[in-house]
Amino acid sequence: MKVIVAGAGYAGTLAANRLAKKVPDAEITVVNPRPDFVERVRLHQQLAGTGRAATPLSRMLRDGVRSRRAAVEKIGEGGLTLDGGETLDFDFLVLAVGSTLSPLPGTVPIGTWEGAEQARKALAALPAGGAVTVAGAGPTGIETAAEVAYARPDLSVRLVGRDLAATLSEGARQRVRAGLERLKVSILEDAVERVEAGERAAGTVRLRSGERFCSDLTLWAVIGGVPDLAARSGLEVDERGRVIVDEYLRSVTDPRVIAAGDCAAVPGSRMSCQTAEPQGAHAADTVARLISGRAPEPYSVQYVASCLSLGRRDGVIQIVRRDDTARRAYFAGRAAAMTKEGVVRGARFSARTAMAGALPEKK
C-alpha cells in the first residue's frame, strides 16, 4: 500500500510518523520542497536571531519513512506530478501543504522559511536607529514585532494593523497591548496600503488613512491563504483555496485524498499547530482504518488555549472554549512565556513521536 504525505510541517510530519506506527508494512513517502521540518511557530525567533526553527527531516521521520525533496506540481488520478516532471503513484494521499502569504511589493513575507531567512539577514544588517515595520496585528505580527523589539532594542519597531489580537478577550487584548508598549513597540491601528521605494534602502510606508512614514525594513505578517495546488488539481476548494473535506477529512472530490492542517477547510478551525497536529493524527488514523477495511471516524475540533509570546520573557495565554471562542480567563507574564515555550517544544516532540493529537479511536 502506497501512501504519500505532501508537506512536512506539523500535520504532515506527525501523520507520516503515526501512520508508520499503525501500518508498518505501508510504503510511506513524504514529499517536501526543503530537507527540513520547519517550526513555523518559531519563525519570529529565527528572523530575530533568538532561536532556530529548522530540524533536518532525517531526525524527525521514523525509520522506514522515505522523504523526497521536491514540490508537488499537480495531483492526478492516483498519482502526483513533481516539479521535476517525475510522477509518483499513491493509494492514499495526505495533503498537508500548509498556508502561504501574498505580500505587498516592497515587503518581506515572514510566514515562510525563505521569508524569515530573508528578514533575518536584512535585520542583522540594520544599524542602530533603524526603523522596522510589521504589517499585521494577528498572532504572527504581534509575536514578530515583540521578538524584534526584544532582540534589537536599538531599533524603532512599529506594528501596523486593525483589531489587535482580535480573537482574544478584552482583558487579554489590553495585556498584549501593554506588553508591546513595554517593549517600546508603536502600535498603529491601520492597514498598509503600499510601500514606496526610497532613494536608499529605506522605503516609505503609506497607510490607508493616508499617513506615511519611513521604514528601513517592512515585514509582512498577514497569512493570506494556501498554495493553489488543490485548486489547480481540480479538487473542490473554498474561497480561500482550502480543500473541501467531509467529516473524516477526506476530499469530497477524491476520497483517497485526506487533507489536514491549514490547507483543509474544516469548519471552526484556525491556522495553528494546535489545529495541524490533531488533524494530522486524525488523517493518519483515517488512512489506517481504510487500509484495514474499517470505517473511518469523524473528526472533532477541540481547542484549549491561544498562546502568544511577547519576547522571551513575557507572553499571554488566552483560555478558550472547545470551539475556540475566548473565555474571560487568561494569564500573562513570565509564566505565560514559559508555558508558550513548553507548548512549542511539545508540538515538535509530538510531530516526531506521533504521540499526540486525535481523539481516542473507538474499538
Side-chain angles (χ1 to χ4, degrees):
M1 190 67 63
K2 295 182 179 180
V3 181
I4 294 177
V5 178
Y10 290 103
T13 300
L14 192 149
N17 287 332
R18 190 176 179 98
L19 192 58
K21 292 170 66 174
K22 287 179 169 287
V23 191
D25 57 345
E27 183 181 314
I28 304 168
T29 303
V30 174
V31 178
N32 199 56
R34 61 189 61 83
D36 300 311
F37 167 77
V38 175
E39 298 177 78
R40 287 191 64 171
V41 293
R42 284 200 192 276
L43 286 177
H44 60 290
Q45 292 178 253
Q46 179 75 27
L47 70 87
T50 58
R52 296 181 61 83
T55 303
L57 275 174
S58 59
R59 290 167 48 191
M60 293 294 295
L61 297 175
R62 289 175 64 89
D63 292 343
V65 177
R66 305 174 183 178
S67 64
R68 290 290 306 275
R69 185 177 181 180
V72 179
E73 284 294 317
K74 191 173 183 180
I75 304 166
E77 187 70 22
L80 297 178
T81 302
L82 305 183
D83 52 0
E86 183 182 359
T87 59
L88 297 178
D89 296 333
F90 64 81
D91 295 294
F92 291 99
L93 167 67
V94 176
L95 188 61
V97 292
S99 55
T100 188
L101 299 88
S102 300
L104 286 178
T107 68
V108 178
I110 56 174
T112 65
W113 170 258
E114 293 80 8
E117 277 294 276
Q118 182 183 349
R120 180 182 64 81
K121 294 173 183 177
L123 188 66
L126 283 184
V132 176
T133 302
V134 180
T140 301
I142 291 167
E143 292 194 321
T144 299
E147 202 74 26
V148 171
Y150 173 83
R152 292 289 307 272
D154 59 326
L155 299 177
S156 171
V157 181
R158 295 186 185 90
L159 177 64
V160 182
R162 298 188 183 278
D163 299 323
L164 181 74
T167 61
L168 305 188
S169 65
E170 183 59 29
R173 292 180 67 186
Q174 293 303 319
R175 179 58 177 81
V176 168
R177 182 181 295 273
L180 290 170
E181 291 174 347
R182 190 174 296 119
L183 289 166
K184 296 183 170 35
V185 175
S186 300
I187 302 169
L188 300 178
E189 300 273 357
D190 208 331
V192 175
E193 183 175 84
R194 66 175 181 268
V195 178
E196 302 164 347
E199 296 181 358
R200 53 188 182 87
T204 299
V205 174
R206 176 166 179 167
L207 306 183
R208 288 182 183 172
S209 62
E211 182 181 351
R212 299 186 183 192
F213 53 82
C214 182
S215 178
D216 295 289
L217 176 63
T218 303
L219 307 177
W220 188 259
V222 181
I223 306 299
V226 301
D228 65 352
L229 171 61
R232 69 172 182 263
S233 298
L235 299 179
E236 188 174 349
V237 299
D238 66 5
E239 68 282 354
R240 298 172 64 184
R242 301 179 301 172
V243 181
I244 304 259
V245 296
D246 64 14
E247 59 185 327
Y248 313 112
L249 302 185
R250 300 179 302 186
S251 163
V252 297
T253 307
D254 186 344
R256 294 169 299 180
V257 178
I258 295 88
D262 291 353
C263 68
V266 178
S269 65
R270 61 173 153 95
M271 294 180 174
S272 69
C273 63
Q274 194 176 163
T275 300
E277 292 202 335
Q279 288 186 9
H282 196 87
D285 292 350
T286 296
V287 172
R289 293 179 74 90
L290 292 172
I291 288 175
S292 66
R294 295 179 294 163
E297 294 289 337
Y299 172 75
S300 176
V301 176
Q302 183 173 345
Y303 291 100
V304 176
S306 181
C307 308
L308 283 173
S309 64
L310 299 170
R312 295 297 85 210
R313 299 176 182 175
D314 192 13
V316 174
I317 307 296
Q318 170 72 66
I319 309 303
V320 302
R321 300 179 180 86
R322 180 188 176 99
D323 65 358
D324 204 33
T325 56
R327 296 181 183 273
R328 290 182 64 184
Y330 72 93
F331 64 97
R334 190 176 289 261
M338 293 174 64
T339 300
K340 170 67 187 294
E341 177 61 24
V343 167
V344 172
R345 292 185 183 186
R348 182 181 179 279
F349 177 82
S350 296
R352 182 170 58 83
T353 62
M355 291 176 59
L359 297 175
E361 287 190 80
K362 295 179 182 178
K363 301 297 184 183

